[in-house]
Amino acid sequence: MSTASDVHFNFRSSFPHIRASSSSSSSSSSSLDAGLSTELDAVSSFSEIVPDTVVFDDFERFPPTAATVSSSLLLGICSLPDTIFRNAVDMALADSSCCKLENSELRLSCFFNKALVNVGGDLAKMVPGRVSTEVDARLAYDTHGIIRKVHDLLKLYSEIDVPPERLLFKIPSTWQGIEASRLLESEGIQTHLTFVYSFAQAAAAAQAGASVIQIFVGRLRDWARNHSGDPEIDDALKRGEDPALSLVSKAYNYIHKYGHKSKLMAAAVRNKQDLFSLLGVDYIIAPLKVLQSLKESAISPDEKYSFVRRLSPQSAAMYNFTEEELTKWDQLSLASAMGPASVELLAAGLDGYVNQARRVEDLFEKMWPPPNV
């Protein structure tokens, strides 16, 4: 995601499906005609701003430039029989190599892989950037299982002529997932590490060379509001800082100060103030209501310069890390450094992904065999 066009488009795990409009209000349009730009233009000069939505059929309304395919997306497709992606799922369920498998568990896994790749292939034709494909969360603690799954998915993508450079593989940030990322990146396979809720996870992911590291701002803040006893969060609060924004800043500074290739993605950003506080981070995934508000808020050229870049390679160079934070992370040190927030939120994220994957398989089992198979 090193170019301006490589914006990551996030398909949310929640439903109903929200549709985004890229059209500004009439008042905003008249302001733009008068030579003014918008807050969205201003903030977009510092970070890639990405819509957090599910869009199936009308990308032209708020066109994504990259995409994520996941069990959540497959569930959404199956709930909308008329979506343009439904044929990709139906073709997966009719695949002869899967259908001939007598073991139902293997057959469902085959259908799942095929459906992900078929939908991912369709998305790759629609967006100029990369397609991130979810790796089964049931493999989160199995390094070699993750690697085998990614190789299986890559082979299927190759069969439909989607090249590796168009792909990311979305892996949970367990130690085993981080290690899988390191090994896959050493092969030139791009990885996207998610469920990062602590500095130790972010730093270990950066050391592994993950292409994208994703931190969920809102989820971490929710935990901090309702719990105590996490040293990293408590330290941020003592400094008068928002612990979620503090983690993104610290991870960004670490990545850029020490020359790691990873790009940092701030997800679950819920309001304008969050977004303004993170200007300069590589990617910000924002809700449509925030994007629409930014798009409808016109500013004069003078006002544009009142937007401040909070994170930059220059500020990262000035940031001081402790000796403990500069450790070469391994499984033991990561486990000891992950506080209750990251442990609990990682587990909750994995549970959600696993439940969605099982729901997809249950649905596929009911849908199979499709007509004429």
Side-chain angles (χ1 to χ4, degrees):
M1 296 191 180
S2 58
T3 65
S5 64
D6 277 347
V7 184
H8 180 87
F9 179 70
N10 184 51
F11 290 100
R12 293 186 64 180
S13 60
S14 57
F15 296 96
H17 313 297
I18 305 170
R19 299 197 178 269
S21 172
S22 59
S23 59
S24 299
S25 67
S26 58
S27 61
S28 177
S29 298
S30 61
S31 298
L32 292 175
D33 292 340
L36 305 182
S37 63
T38 68
E39 288 183 343
L40 184 57
D41 296 324
V43 298
S44 296
S45 66
F46 300 114
S47 298
E48 296 286 2
I49 310 298
V50 190
D52 182 4
T53 184
V54 177
V55 177
F56 289 108
D57 293 333
D58 57 345
F59 285 161
E60 73 277 1
R61 299 186 67 194
F62 215 131
T65 56
T68 296
V69 57
S70 62
S71 52
S72 167
L73 180 58
L74 294 182
L75 285 172
I77 291 169
C78 291
S79 73
L80 294 174
D82 60 343
T83 175
I84 59 173
F85 298 117
R86 183 54 184 264
N87 186 60
V89 173
D90 290 340
M91 291 296 290
L93 292 173
D95 185 82
S96 59
S97 62
C98 298
C99 290
K100 69 183 181 183
L101 295 171
E102 294 183 6
N103 182 293
S104 63
E105 188 175 331
L106 292 177
R107 186 169 61 244
L108 287 171
S109 179
C110 185
F111 288 150
F112 201 135
N113 290 349
K114 276 283 186 178
L116 284 172
V117 169
N118 286 354
V119 174
D122 282 353
L123 287 167
K125 296 172 186 173
M126 303 174 74
V127 299
R130 292 177 290 187
V131 174
S132 184
T133 303
E134 177 187 299
V135 176
D136 194 334
R138 289 168 290 191
L139 300 171
Y141 294 97
D142 180 356
T143 295
H144 295 295
I146 292 170
I147 292 171
R148 282 193 300 271
K149 178 66 73 174
V150 169
H151 284 159
D152 289 345
L153 293 169
L154 263 178
K155 183 174 182 293
L156 293 175
Y157 272 118
S158 176
E159 291 172 1
I160 59 171
D161 299 320
V162 180
E165 58 268 23
R166 295 291 314 281
L167 300 168
L168 286 160
F169 292 94
K170 192 172 184 180
I171 299 169
S173 294
T174 59
W175 169 254
Q176 292 81 359
I178 292 168
E179 183 67 2
S181 172
R182 182 183 69 80
L183 294 168
L184 289 165
E185 292 280 353
S186 72
E187 297 179 43
I189 298 170
Q190 300 175 106
T191 60
H192 169 182
L193 284 173
T194 189
F195 299 145
V196 173
Y197 295 107
S198 64
F199 174 73
Q201 283 176 292
Q207 290 178 6
S211 295
V212 177
I213 299 170
Q214 184 173 9
I215 296 174
F216 290 94
V217 173
R219 295 183 195 176
L220 186 59
R221 179 183 295 133
D222 289 344
W223 192 97
R225 283 173 175 164
N226 295 297
H227 303 81
S228 61
D230 185 290
E232 194 169 343
I233 288 175
D234 291 345
D235 287 346
L237 293 172
K238 287 175 185 174
R239 296 192 301 268
E241 298 175 2
D242 178 289
L245 301 180
S246 174
L247 174 59
V248 175
S249 298
K250 192 173 182 180
Y252 175 93
N253 290 332
Y254 179 82
I255 289 167
H256 286 270
K257 181 167 185 171
Y258 296 106
H260 296 289
K261 74 170 191 177
S262 306
K263 300 295 184 183
L264 190 62
M265 176 183 289
V269 171
R270 295 175 177 168
N271 53 59
K272 279 189 184 183
Q273 191 54 54
D274 280 352
L275 196 148
F276 295 151
S277 298
L278 294 173
L279 288 182
V281 73
D282 301 291
Y283 306 102
I284 300 175
I285 299 179
L288 294 178
K289 64 180 181 180
V290 172
L291 294 183
Q292 198 63 36
S293 176
L294 292 169
K295 190 180 271 287
E296 293 174 354
S297 300
I299 58 172
S300 69
D302 289 341
E303 289 176 310
K304 183 173 182 177
Y305 297 105
S306 66
F307 288 84
V308 177
R309 179 169 185 169
R310 306 297 181 127
L311 302 172
S312 69
Q314 292 74 29
S315 64
M318 304 294 291
Y319 193 94
N320 293 318
F321 290 89
T322 67
E323 187 175 338
E324 291 78 10
E325 291 167 341
L326 296 179
T327 187
K328 174 64 177 171
W329 295 96
D330 57 24
Q331 186 172 5
L332 185 61
S333 60
L334 179 67
S336 63
M338 284 178 63
S342 54
V343 170
E344 292 174 23
L345 288 167
L346 172 61
L350 290 174
D351 285 346
Y353 272 27
V354 168
N355 288 336
Q356 286 174 345
R358 287 175 177 155
R359 286 175 61 198
V360 170
E361 289 179 344
D362 289 345
L363 198 55
F364 283 1
E365 191 166 32
K366 293 173 183 174
M367 294 168 63
W368 189 84
N372 305 318
V373 174

